[in-house]
Amino acid sequence: MDTCSACATAGDETHPNGRALICLPYPNVKTPIAASVSSPRLSPTASNRLLSVTEVILSGMSPAIRQPSSCRSPQPSSRLLLGWEVRLLDCPAEGIDQDTFEGQIVREGWDVVASWSTYLSAIEDVAAEHFGLRVSEGRVRHLLRMLISDRTNRGVLATLQSTMGDREALRDAIFARHDAEAAANAFFDEVATWRARPGNASGRMIGADLFPNPLTPALKKLASALKLLRAETTDETTEMELGSLAGRAAEIAEAASMLVDQAIEGCVYWVDTTPGRRGGRDRGSVTLACAAVDVAPILREHLFGREGAVVCTSATLATGAEDFSLATSRLGAEDAQTLQVGSPFDFARQMRVLVDPHLPDPRDAAYQERLVDRIVEQVRETDGGAFVLFTSNAAMTEAAARSRARLEEAGHQVLVQHETGPMELVLQRFREDDRAVLFGVSTFWQGVDVRGQGLRNVIITRLPFDVPDRPIVQARHEMIEERGGRPFFEDQVPRAVIRFKQGVGRLIRSADDAGRVVVLDPRIVTKGYGRAFQAALPEGVEVEPLEPPAVEVDDYNTFDDWVPDDSVPDDGGHPGGFDAIP
């Protein structure tokens, strides 16, 4: 008889209604929880597609574009399947209709099975964006190229010119397409100009109608023209393609209108820009977006508040010993049963955690220069085999450039995320060279598995706090302050602790691994909130001070000098920034 690994319920019995958050630190899990359910239709067999890792699916719960009145109102009949870094069943077995499948899920008691590696911050952020909107300049231009490309003269409208001749409906569609391009140029240029103004550095849009919106009427006109043209085509494939493109144009038009008007309550709105080509006049690409500030009510009503079992497991759901408060409150699972399971690894024997109390505060101007010397020194201590983790692309790039010559002179291959190549290539080259040094940002803090002596040194350059001027972070902090809370201690510190645990977790991936974690941020021992980070270390592992640097510097050794800063919610200024883009 199969057993549910989450709650030891026999697989051929009805699973009790309930919600569970389980902290499983063992990283070598081969089978998702759903695999142990006895129902053949719910077991991960060939007839049930399993999602690839590093993918989040929120299927069935409609995004705001289909629910204009609110970003918190999924369709009543919707089903939610949620996973992060998981293999998760997200569709019925072949030949079974959706209604039948959903009914069997309810009868089996397995309404939702969510992950054996659910990262809290990832779930919250992705769910927030799912219930919001996004209109990118790239998406609009891709739509226009699909119709007809000015550069190649290819596309569905170009093809129809050779088969339909000079028909009025075709001429109207081509004119509408060119009008839409002109409107897109004007719209995104205006948005980019607004974004570049002083005071708009974060990109947050406070207030509606900050710029004119010629895009929506132009795309609506284009959608209508494509629908009329579709009615005159005789080719089934072309008819379907025109219908799809017309629907896409109408959807983007509606989304752009809702973003400019800020029509969705409970969301924060912002503008993102990407850099243009180096040396060119391109202003880069522009994206307008909004996201739900608080996803807890949505997930509480439509996921954790429904009948059936919801199981979330991860090594990083708890911020401390039996402390699931952040996960339960932020995900709307306040009534969840929680369980924190010990690890099969002997961390006290397999790893050391070293902290440098001699470095200045990371906000000090001298920090970056001293940091580079320490990185080179600590890489030499283990003869390479090191991850050097950053919270900022700019800091990573600068440190790699300034340390590269010394490291390569010592025979270490230097690999830099975004510069060396795609993440998979960078990781492959690291695994093939046990003296390599990898400089990485956010994506290397989690979900990366290097076993054996290939990785024996994880250097954390800075405690991974969120950047305070990110619009979603600003809005969350405002929400906490409105109810009388302290954002720094209720949001910033717990989220940073979870990311810190993820970074530390890169080191020990099997019972045979061994090595050191080096923290080059003295605040873990000089600030009161540093105790939360120390408490997040594996049981039996305590921080040890590094020896002073070889070069004499000012005395920053305050290893045991705790600052009683519990009464200072913002630490006298923001403590750091996790602004790296994967």
Side-chain angles (χ1 to χ4, degrees), residues 354-368:
L354 304 168
V355 175
D356 190 344
H358 311 282
L359 281 171
D361 188 290
R363 294 164 293 183
D364 191 296
Y367 172 77
Q368 189 70 14

Side-chain angles (χ1 to χ4, degrees), residues 413-458:
Q413 179 184 191
V414 176
L415 306 170
V416 183
Q417 187 176 358
H418 306 317
E419 294 182 12
T420 303
M423 178 178 173
E424 295 77 10
L425 175 63
V426 173
L427 197 55
Q428 177 183 344
R429 290 176 61 178
F430 181 85
R431 288 181 174 130
E432 293 171 350
D433 183 354
D434 63 4
R435 299 187 68 239
V437 181
L438 190 155
F439 289 73
V441 284
S442 55
T443 48
F444 280 96
W445 285 73
Q446 62 186 39
V448 177
D449 195 351
V450 180
R451 303 189 181 198
Q453 284 300 296
L455 178 59
R456 50 194 178 274
N457 191 356
V458 174

Side-chain angles (χ1 to χ4, degrees), residues 107-131:
R107 283 197 298 274
E108 292 289 341
W110 283 92
D111 196 10
V112 179
V113 180
S115 102
W116 47 262
S117 185
T118 303
Y119 296 133
L120 169 63
S121 59
I123 286 181
E124 186 178 16
D125 289 346
V126 173
E129 292 197 17
H130 176 80
F131 296 112

Side-chain angles (χ1 to χ4, degrees), residues 57-93:
I57 294 296
L58 291 130
S59 62
M61 296 185 76
S62 301
I65 185 61
R66 301 192 184 95
Q67 303 272 325
S69 62
S70 171
C71 66
R72 303 181 175 211
S73 301
Q75 295 177 5
S77 61
S78 64
R79 320 302 284 178
L80 171 64
L81 297 170
L82 174 64
W84 178 259
E85 290 271 337
V86 302
R87 271 75 170 177
L88 177 65
L89 294 164
D90 80 320
C91 64

Side-chain angles (χ1 to χ4, degrees), residues 189-240:
D189 283 347
E190 185 69 28
V191 175
T193 299
W194 175 87
R195 178 68 169 79
R197 290 173 186 162
N200 295 335
S202 72
R204 185 174 179 185
M205 299 161 54
I206 300 179
D209 302 316
L210 297 175
F211 26 73
N213 177 20
L215 183 63
T216 290
L219 287 179
K220 286 183 176 180
K221 180 181 176 181
L222 175 60
S224 297
L226 293 176
K227 290 177 182 178
L228 291 174
L229 178 60
R230 178 190 180 193
E232 295 192 15
T233 60
T234 56
D235 180 72
E236 184 178 352
T237 300
T238 303
E239 182 182 350
M240 292 177 61

Side-chain angles (χ1 to χ4, degrees), residues 225-278:
L226 293 176
K227 290 177 182 178
L228 291 174
L229 178 60
R230 178 190 180 193
E232 295 192 15
T233 60
T234 56
D235 180 72
E236 184 178 352
T237 300
T238 303
E239 182 182 350
M240 292 177 61
E241 188 172 5
L242 287 171
S244 174
L245 293 172
R248 196 178 307 175
E251 180 180 303
I252 296 174
E254 180 67 15
S257 175
M258 295 174 70
L259 286 166
V260 173
D261 296 342
Q262 299 198 7
I264 310 172
E265 296 182 1
C267 287
V268 58
Y269 295 77
W270 72 92
V271 173
D272 277 333
T273 56
T274 57
R277 292 186 293 270
R278 293 181 181 177

